[in-house]
Amino acid sequence: MKTTKAVSLADELVRQLERQIDSGELPPGSRFPTEKAITDSAGVSRTVVREAFARLAARGLLESRRGSGAYVPAAARYRAFQVTPEEMQEVEDVIKLLEIRMALETEMAALAAERRTEADIATLRECLDRMAEGGDVEASVDADAAFHAAIARATQNDYYSRFMDFLGIRLVPRRAVYLRDQSDVAHRSYAKAIQRDHEGIFTAIEAGDPVAARRAARRHMQKSLERHRRMKDEAEAGPLD
């Protein structure tokens, strides 16, 4: 899976406009340059500009006013750091998120093991049972996200739950990214591997063992990282002659 030129150009334009917003060059309330002005100055097509504007709007950094143009919202300076669904379309983006989650999830699991309540254990078990049903892929992914959110709540530290929301961690990387063009057998095998990892984390948290919980969470995240890095390497290598 290779990144198209248009996507790459849109990425760069988004970064450029974000830097201008963060630096104050484009302060809250200011008007963005017109599409034509950007196409002329950046040397990109209107399609690229519109894609960049759509991404900025999704991040709360651009608002359109009918008949007037695009503006930087007043709340842009107070924006919370988050990862949007639009940013989780490529393997490279998923890898970046997983690298952040590596540190977050390991300590979160350890704290959950120390502080979890019986209600937390029941919620985690319910999430695992829903994942094990394995009937509907999206339902299973939703249960996966709920499992990680439940671990955050089990820390009894509200900042973990809030940071998870800001980071977009509830958007557990969609299996459609890793399993694109894969068979049903691959889907089932992947689901079973994830289920085993989650069972290991749950067992450690239920036992109140922070060392084992930290180790199980790290192992889970490391395996996920390795899978996606292999996929990225294979995509970059291209087909064999």
Side-chain angles (χ1 to χ4, degrees):
M1 176 174 48
K2 293 187 179 297
T3 302
T4 67
K5 182 179 180 181
V7 170
S8 179
L9 290 172
D11 289 340
E12 180 54 39
L13 184 55
V14 167
R15 285 191 289 268
Q16 176 185 326
L17 292 171
E18 275 193 307
R19 284 194 296 268
Q20 292 178 355
I21 293 169
D22 291 339
S23 69
E25 184 179 345
L26 282 173
S30 64
R31 188 174 184 272
F32 280 91
T34 64
E35 288 184 6
K36 185 177 186 309
I38 295 177
T39 60
D40 291 343
S41 63
V44 297
S45 68
R46 290 203 172 196
T47 299
V48 169
V49 177
R50 288 168 186 167
E51 172 65 19
F53 274 16
R55 294 190 198 180
L56 290 170
R59 299 180 193 184
L61 296 178
L62 178 150
E63 61 182 14
S64 296
R65 300 179 189 173
R66 186 181 296 275
S68 180
Y71 289 79
V72 180
R77 71 179 70 185
Y78 305 115
R79 63 189 173 117
F81 172 67
Q82 59 180 311
V83 176
T84 66
E86 291 74 20
E87 294 176 281
M88 288 290 102
Q89 301 302 314
E90 302 295 335
V91 174
E92 185 175 352
D93 300 318
V94 175
I95 289 172
K96 292 175 183 177
L97 179 59
L98 290 173
E99 287 175 344
I100 292 177
R101 286 182 58 190
M102 175 73 77
L104 178 69
E105 299 256 10
T106 53
E107 295 310 309
M108 193 167 70
L111 284 177
E114 293 176 351
R115 303 173 180 175
R116 86 288 184 276
T117 65
E118 290 303 314
D120 292 325
I121 294 299
T123 300
L124 289 167
R125 184 70 262 172
E126 179 186 357
C127 293
L128 286 177
D129 290 344
R130 284 164 52 199
M131 276 185 277
E133 292 172 2
D136 178 77
V137 172
E138 286 305 310
S140 180
V141 170
D142 289 341
D144 188 340
F147 178 77
H148 289 277
I151 293 176
R153 289 193 298 274
T155 67
Q156 314 307 325
N157 182 337
D158 185 53
Y159 288 166
Y160 268 106
S161 293
R162 289 169 58 185
F163 187 69
M164 292 265 283
D165 288 341
F166 292 157
L167 188 62
I169 217 101
R170 293 188 184 209
L171 303 170
V172 171
R174 293 305 187 193
R175 294 175 189 179
V177 175
Y178 176 67
L179 294 172
R180 192 174 296 171
D181 302 323
Q182 298 295 311
S183 67
D184 289 341
V185 173
H187 279 259
R188 288 193 294 272
S189 176
Y190 180 81
K192 287 180 180 178
I194 297 298
Q195 185 74 10
R196 285 194 297 271
D197 286 354
H198 286 166
E199 289 284 355
I201 297 170
F202 171 78
T203 298
I205 291 175
E206 183 182 37
D209 188 336
V211 174
R214 183 183 289 111
R215 185 167 54 243
R218 182 173 183 80
R219 185 185 308 117
H220 173 50
M221 297 308 305
Q222 187 64 50
K223 286 164 65 176
S224 188
L225 256 176
E226 289 172 357
R227 280 193 296 267
H228 286 84
R229 283 172 176 162
R230 281 198 303 271
M231 184 178 181
K232 180 174 181 289
D233 291 343
E234 290 168 1
E236 290 177 346
L240 296 176
D241 292 332

